[in-house]
Amino acid sequence: MKIAVIGAGAMGSLFGAHLAAGGNQVALVDVWEEHVRTINENGLIVEEEGRLRTYRLPALTDPGSLGPQDLVIVFVKSYHTATAIRSAKNLFSGGTQVVTLQNGLGNAEIIAGEAAGTTVIAGTTSHGATVLGPGRIRHAGKGETVIGKVSGGAGRLGEVAAEFNRCGLETRIADDIAGLLWGKLLVNVGINPLTALCKVTNGSLVEMESTLRLMEMLVGEGEAVARAVGVALPYSDALGKVKSVARATGSNRSSMWQDIERGRPTEVDFINGAVVREGEKAGVPTPCNRVVTLLVKALEEKCRGRQPGAFTA
Ligand code: KPL
């Protein structure tokens, strides 16, 4: 397959590396020039299962030289989805399938709007991966990927899942994609903003009484909105699920905390902000998610432009 990965952070690089190793013609697209240059010069180095492996695949900052792809995988931060797709229009034709495995709600709809005529597939992935530096990532833990069709013509969902599985990326198909996305959303709703605001790892959230109480309020509102919009969550105990993910990823700094520490925008508008927007439409009050969204945005403004890797308060 001809595959372009838009957004070659930890997860995009990981998927690109494995799909290229499986014999696909993969190109990584990212705006980080040093990362792109290093991958082209030295290959993409992945720390996995206690050893270093070098994957050879091309990387580009501008996808303009690439033609239409069989598959485009989108891994940019949610607030860059629209611009990233708009600047890569040459990658899409009627037969292109676009997969988004991004955090938050709304990315599939943005892609469907910008890349009209393609088949859009959304999903979640629970691989653990981190960028260690330009051209280098760590694959900390394998996890399952779940995908489902959101919009577009006769998508070949089975073909995408089969190719991911063949390349060592365990994948299954979900019939209820909305339930799947909301299920992941509530995990991010209850963990990400609290780690960013309190500057604690995921695991600490369930060890402190106050953060546990806040988590309960945020997730409770999200659950009420999901119910009101007719989404069936893939678990019966939402708070229990969020607590178990916080424990299982205990030593993680959430992506939102990392964004704040690096002075970058966060995905809060697509996470807690999405609960507020959907709540407004459904007439469900979401005061905690509203306040937390604004607090994270205040922190974003305060920390804007901070140096990469500055992990101090
Ligand atoms: O998805 C995550 C994130 O950090 O964005 C969790 C599951 C909270 C893991 O850190």
Side-chain angles (χ1 to χ4, degrees), residues 77 103 125 184 187-188 191-192 195 202 245-246 249 252-258 267 271:
K77 292 281 182 184
N103 270 345
T125 185
K184 174 77 196 304
V187 168
N188 293 127
I191 296 178
N192 294 31
T195 60
N202 297 357
V245 174
T249 58
N252 268 30
R253 289 167 185 262
S254 82
S255 54
M256 199 174 286
W257 185 16
Q258 293 189 43
E267 296 182 301
I271 298 175

Side-chain angles (χ1 to χ4, degrees), residues 134-152:
R136 194 174 180 122
I137 64 161
R138 174 181 297 135
H139 185 193
K142 286 189 179 174
E144 190 189 41
T145 299
V146 189
I147 56 172
K149 199 181 104 180
V150 177
S151 63

Side-chain angles (χ1 to χ4, degrees), residues 249-270:
T249 58
S251 59
N252 268 30
R253 289 167 185 262
S254 82
S255 54
M256 199 174 286
W257 185 16
Q258 293 189 43
D259 286 337
I260 287 293
E261 292 298 339
R262 292 180 175 146
R264 297 191 302 220
T266 73
E267 296 182 301
V268 74
D269 279 333
F270 290 81

Side-chain angles (χ1 to χ4, degrees), residues 145-149 156-159 161-162 171-176:
T145 299
V146 189
I147 56 172
K149 199 181 104 180
R156 299 173 308 280
L157 200 54
E159 203 180 284
T171 302
R172 71 178 166 86
I173 295 172
D175 294 329
D176 178 12

